[in-house]
Amino acid sequence: MVNYFSSDFKLGILGGGQLGKMMLYETRKYDIQTLVLDPSEEAPSKISCNYFEQGELMDYNTVLNFGRKANVVTFEIEGVNIEALKQLESEGIKTFPSAATLEKIQNKAVQKKFYLEKSIPTANFEVFEDLQKLKDAVKNNKISLPFVWKSATGGYDGKGVSVIKIIEDLNELSDGECIAERLVPFKNELAVIVARNPSGEMKTYPVVEMEFHPTANQVEYVICPARIDEKVAEKARKLAEKVSEAFGHVGLLAVEMFQTEDDQILINEVAPRPHNSGHYSIEASYTNQFEQHIRAILDLPLGNTESKVGGIMVNLVGAKDHEGEVVYENIEQIMKMDGVTPHIYGKKITRPFRKMGHVTIVDKDISKAREVAEKVKNSIKVISKK
Amino acid sequence: MVNYFSSDFKLGILGGGQLGKMMLYETRKYDIQTLVLDPSEEAPSKISCNYFEQGELMDYNTVLNFGRKANVVTFEIEGVNIEALKQLESEGIKTFPSAATLEKIQNKAVQKKFYLEKSIPTANFEVFEDLQKLKDAVKNNKISLPFVWKSATGGYDGKGVSVIKIIEDLNELSDGECIAERLVPFKNELAVIVARNPSGEMKTYPVVEMEFHPTANQVEYVICPARIDEKVAEKARKLAEKVSEAFGHVGLLAVEMFQTEDDQILINEVAPRPHNSGHYSIEASYTNQFEQHIRAILDLPLGNTESKVGGIMVNLVGAKDHEGEVVYENIEQIMKMDGVTPHIYGKKITRPFRKMGHVTIVDKDISKAREVAEKVKNSIKVISKK
């Protein structure tokens, strides 16, 4: 057993955004020394670590030299240099999730092929080397509309994913390797977070449900527990465990899934890190996802993943037509509501649809929490200073 | 309404110990800029604030110049220079709790006299200018043994309080103004945390109970909710509110009380800040005490003080006969237990009875939490490196 607490042990974190920031609260609780690498001088994590370095996460030498200062390295964003992680591993510095795991996930085309290999159910797809090859396939009727276009790399926060309904939609896409995926008619979009440590201990969080806006194609609420049949939930958790084991994953793996009309579960995609769909856990779970990630990568015993209370998460995204210094309008209104906790990520500038924070709403009665969540959604506005 | 979140607003905190450190997690959640003043270069808070200054908290100029950099000033320890707070207030910098409130609390002799004035029930006492005057009173049988000696100033973590059973015990005491207090036979030692904001909104947390070791005179567990009659609990909360109002207090006020054999409630003493008896709230309450303190002093709406689950807190104090670099023995054992969360304060050196951290145990069933708490207490040891 390594003596992590109040010792010289150092954890390196690649990426210093809001996920890293929330992870850092937990490292402080355990008094673990932390190093953070991020390209932005204004990274939200900067304030809460022991050592901050500004640098590019995809640059081999930057990541290698940074990682050498740590005893264990993890990341809060998938876009990091894998070759540098491999070199660190060969030098005896533990990186969790491992370079081999990340390599199967970072590129979505590789990820999807991996599911086929491992007989993990996923929507049918085809891979294209570049946009022109996809356009040709559509032209020659080898791919029929509508379908989902996904960029193989670089997707984040809804970027890099698009539903192609008409031919003209193809002109809006960026070039590069991509996937055309069958548009699956689904009842629910679900997610399960799996935690796994190097000793092989594994725990899953309850299934959460993404509730979409009735007209706009946008997730409005992440709801835990999902309001679905217990058998379907059990099937989703088992499948998530299978995915985690297939990847040989260590740390947190957020598994996004579709529940089809006939109650099949299909894997959509995974994220090998704390995830937006697990933010509810800070207020609702016995062990929140960030603490769990730290426990997992340090090979500590995993904590209880059950919920104390029902939880709903609402993203705080920048209002459209607002760009500039941020103001959280009516935040005092939502703070009056019982069980409501705002989390502000610390980005000074708001832009349309930029993730600026989130709000968690908890209640023993999930339907009551859902009512409050709607009031929260209708009250708070993320706008720019006049 | 001030725009606190992601703005230029600055909160100054006097004192950078574990209470300040835990308070800082909440300021980060709200993205509020923070300044911390503490005499120690190794203060636990140092890492989590925007600006750290090393300096004496009782020095007029140090506190004044530090405070002038902030928009609102608060403290996590009572031993701060009150004259500097008064000057800051006269310059328009808000200090919460106010200098006037702190002045009534900082000196225990003044605090006890205030209770008499306001007809707040408290144990009988007498004030002595110095130790010699107390010794004379005992010699002349004006004070009868046993009694409780309390230093008027500087008491902290059990220091400055002593039960005097025999004349020889007087020789162990430090000199200075002091109180001799009647030794009250009590059934329970209770505490209630009251939150109050400048607008006068007030909320109380549930009554907690200090469970003592059956033979050693030492608190072993802080239990929420206290296992007492609901009517007694209601009386305790009402009295705590009365005390908060009497002090015109803003922020958190931890009110420590005795429940006598005949179910009277007597005020023992108060602390105008987050308190050890409220640490359970991080895991158990809808709004933890640190978030509540921030809400209160910024005149934001107060959060729900109810509990999601039952909570028990165990202090992690340095084992006797151990001084040096700290090791938390068997911490991985307690992390295997459901609902157990260790908090490590970040002090590198352990000393006998030094507060090094705490552990919270939560469960929907408080008696089950109590069982786990005993296992925690019997497992973990705070020792020095061999």
Side-chain angles (χ1 to χ4, degrees), chain A residues 33-100:
Chain A
Q33 289 191 59
T34 50
L35 322 171
V36 169
L37 178 70
D38 194 271
S40 166
E41 212 185 340
E42 296 200 330
S45 290
K46 194 175 177 182
I47 183 67
S48 300
C49 59
N50 295 71
Y51 167 82
F52 180 81
E53 190 174 311
Q54 196 180 352
E56 291 303 322
L57 299 168
M58 290 301 282
D59 182 71
Y60 177 83
N61 284 316
T62 303
V63 172
L64 181 60
N65 290 327
F66 171 82
R68 281 175 174 160
K69 299 181 185 116
N71 303 101
V72 171
V73 171
T74 189
F75 48 83
E76 57 112 51
I77 183 168
E78 291 93 321
V80 301
N81 189 294
I82 289 180
E83 295 309 313
L85 293 189
K86 284 183 186 170
Q87 180 58 31
L88 288 169
E89 287 173 353
S90 76
E91 294 177 12
I93 292 164
K94 287 175 182 157
T95 73
F96 293 123
S98 70

Side-chain angles (χ1 to χ4, degrees), chain B residues 57-74:
Chain B
L57 300 168
M58 290 302 281
D59 183 72
Y60 178 82
N61 283 316
T62 304
V63 172
L64 180 60
N65 290 327
F66 171 83
R68 281 174 174 161
K69 299 182 184 112
N71 302 102
V72 170
V73 171
T74 189

Side-chain angles (χ1 to χ4, degrees), chain A residues 82 86 99-120 122 125-129 150-154 177-181 243 246-247 267-270:
Chain A
I82 289 180
K86 284 183 186 170
T101 297
L102 182 57
E103 203 161 34
K104 296 187 192 90
I105 293 171
Q106 200 180 55
N107 179 305
K108 283 183 191 170
V110 176
Q111 190 186 134
K112 289 282 286 188
K113 286 177 196 162
F114 182 77
Y115 297 142
L116 281 191
E117 261 173 51
K118 298 288 177 182
S119 308
I120 290 165
T122 188
F125 67 99
E126 210 161 317
V127 176
F128 296 91
E129 266 174 57
K150 288 181 178 175
S151 169
T153 55
E177 193 188 12
C178 62
I179 304 168
E181 194 177 275
V243 172
F247 281 120
I267 300 297
N268 178 13
E269 60 182 55
V270 299

